[in-house]
Amino acid sequence: MVRSVGKLFFLALCYSVQVHAASIELQIFDAQNNELSTVGVGVPFLVRVSMQGFRKRVQEPIIPQLAVIGGVRVGDGQGSMIIRNNQSTVYFNYKARIDVAGSYTIGPISIDNDGDLISSKELVIEAGREIVALNASHKHKHKEKPIFFDFSVDTHQVFVGQKIACTARFYFTQDSGFTGLAQLSMPDLPGFVVGAVEGAQGVAEKIKGKEYQCVEWRWFIYPQQAGATMIPACCVDYEAETTRRNVSGGWISMFTRRGRDRIHSNSVHLTIDPLPPHDVPVVGVGSFNELSVTLEPSVIKEGAAAVLTVEIRGDGNSEQIDQYQLVGMPGSVKYYESKKYMVAPDQMSIIPRKRFEFIIQGLRPGEGEIPEQQFTYFDVQDHTYHTLISAPLPFSITPAAVSAATASGDTVSDKESDTEGEKLTDTGRVLPLSRGGQWYEVKERKPLPLWLFLVALLAPFIYMLGRALLYYVCAYYQRHELQIRSRRAFVAAKVAVKACREKQDVAGLYSHCMRLVAHRCMVAEAVVSRSWLIRMLESKKCNQQEIKETDNLLETLTYYSFGKGADKLLDTDIYTQVEQWISWLEKKI
C-alpha cells in the first residue's frame, strides 16, 4: 500500500514539473501563418516569440538583433495568450523584412521566471530569392495554391531613367473562397520615380492545366540611381471564406468564417547601369522615332500670338521629360512655355507622344524662320546616343494696323467734293456737308413696346430670383444627398440593370448591386462588400435560404466581374435574376 502511494506521488510530481516547465521558442512564419525555414529577400515575414509555462504574466522581451532585420512589433503590448492542455502560451509577433540575401542570427532570449533564468535557442534566418517552408523537400511553389500573388517587371537589366513596366497579378480559383478585393499596397521605393497605377483589370489564365481568375494592376517606375537593387514585395488585402472543422463532444461540425486576409508577392531584383558619358545633358531614355514642330498660325500679326507645338514620339520615358528648350529662336519673336502633356493613344497612333506648347509673339513685321530643333536620347536597344532633328519652319509677321482709307480701297487723291470740287488735304480741316446726290427719307423709329420694356426692366430681378432658387435647391440637395440617393437607389439600380442587359455588360452587374446597397444604406461604396452585405441581411432577420441565394448570386456576379465570365455566360438569365433580387431586396431594406 505504501509503495503504491509512493508511485502515485512520484507520478503526480512528474506531471506537475511537466505542466509548469517554462520554455522560450523563436520561429519565423509567412503572412498565411506557415512556418518557414528560408525567407524571401524583400518579402515581409513574422518572427514569433513563444513563451510557454511561465508562472506569471511576462512583458515583451528585448531582442537587440531584431533591429538588424528591421523588426517591428505588431499587436498589443501584452502579447497574445493561448491556454492549451492546462498550459498558457504567450506570443509576441514582430514584422520584419530582409533586403540582402544571407544568414542572420537573433537570440538567444533570456527571461527570469521567479528566480529561474529561462533561455531560448538561437534562431538562424536564411534569406534567399525563394521562400522555403519548414521540413519541405522542395521550394514552396505559390502557383500550386488556390490563391497567390505574383509581381514581375518587363526587364531586369536597365539604365538610369529607363521606363520599367511593373505588373502585379492576384490569382484565385473558383473554389478558393475568394469574395472580394480590399486594396493594393506598394512598398516605398527610394531612388525611383513611380507612375500612377492603372486600375484592376480582370483576366483569366490557365496554369498547369488549372483555371485561374486573375486581377491585374500595371504601372511604370523610373530608376534614378545606378547599382544593384531590389524592389520589395507588394501586398494585397482581400476577403475570403474559410471552412474549418470543429470537434466537440464527439461531434464533428463544419463552419464557415468570413474575414480579411493579406498576401505578399515575391520581390524583384534589378541591375541598373549608368548612362555613358555625353557632351550635353540627356533626359530622353528609350526608343524615340520622331520630333515634329508645328506653328499655328504661320502668319502672325505684329503683337499677336501663335502656338508653337513640339511633339516627341516614341516608347521611352516621355512622362518624365519635364521641359524642352528651344534653340536658335529669331529676335523678331518672343516666346514662353505654355503647357506640356501626354497625348492619349487613339486609332491613328498608339505610340506614346509628349507635347510641349509655346506661345510665340510677333515683335517686328517681316519674314522669319524657326530653325531646326533637336532632341537627343539614349537608345536602350543599341546602347548609343541618337539625335532627332526637325525641319525649319518659316513664318510671317504682318503690320499691326493700316489706314482706314487703304483698308476701304479708296485713295485720298481720288476723293473729290460733291459741290465745290474741293479735294481732301492733309490739313485736317472739316469739309462742308455735301448736299448733292440722292437723298433718302429716314422715318421715325417706333418706340419700344411696353411688354418688351417691362421684360427688360424685370430681367435683373428674374435673374437674381433664379440664382437664389438654384442656390436653395443645390444647398437642399447637398444637405439631403444621402437621403435622396437612398430613396432613388432601387429606381437607379433597375435602370442600370436594364442598360447592362441592352449592352450585354454582364461584368457591370456586380458594381451596380454594390452601389445599390451603399446608396440605400447611406454608406460609402468602399465599405460594401459581399461579406458586409451578408451580415447586413442577417441583421434584417432574413431567413437562411434567402441569404444563401443572395450569397450564390453575388458569387456568380463576382466571377463575371473579375474574370472572363461574360465570355461563358451561364444558361440562366442572369439579368432576370438580378432584377428579381432587386425587387426582393426592396421589400427587405
Side-chain angles (χ1 to χ4, degrees), residues 59-93:
Q59 299 298 320
E60 179 181 355
I62 299 175
I63 313 176
Q65 303 94 332
L66 201 62
V68 178
I69 59 175
V72 178
R73 175 82 166 86
V74 293
D76 56 43
Q78 297 297 321
S80 303
M81 175 178 287
I82 296 178
I83 299 178
R84 185 178 297 168
N85 298 330
N86 296 324
Q87 287 190 341
S88 64
T89 303
V90 180
Y91 296 100
F92 291 90
N93 292 320

Side-chain angles (χ1 to χ4, degrees), residues 175-188:
D175 57 354
S176 62
F178 170 78
T179 58
L181 287 172
Q183 65 177 6
L184 170 71
S185 300
M186 295 189 297
D188 294 332

Side-chain angles (χ1 to χ4, degrees), residues 251-324:
W251 293 90
I252 300 177
S253 61
M254 308 292 289
F255 66 94
T256 301
R257 179 184 68 88
R258 292 186 178 94
R260 177 171 292 188
D261 293 324
R262 169 171 291 185
I263 187 171
H264 291 89
S265 70
N266 55 293
S267 60
V268 170
H269 293 262
L270 297 176
T271 301
I272 305 171
D273 297 326
L275 295 178
H278 196 261
D279 298 337
V280 296
V282 176
V283 295
V285 180
S287 298
F288 298 91
N289 51 32
E290 184 180 357
L291 173 67
S292 63
V293 180
T294 58
L295 181 64
E296 181 65 31
S298 59
V299 178
I300 315 169
K301 284 187 178 182
E302 182 181 3
V307 178
L308 179 69
T309 302
V310 178
E311 184 174 276
I312 303 172
R313 300 186 183 184
D315 186 13
N317 62 336
S318 304
E319 296 88 347
Q320 301 305 309
I321 302 176
D322 291 331
Q323 61 180 358
Y324 183 86

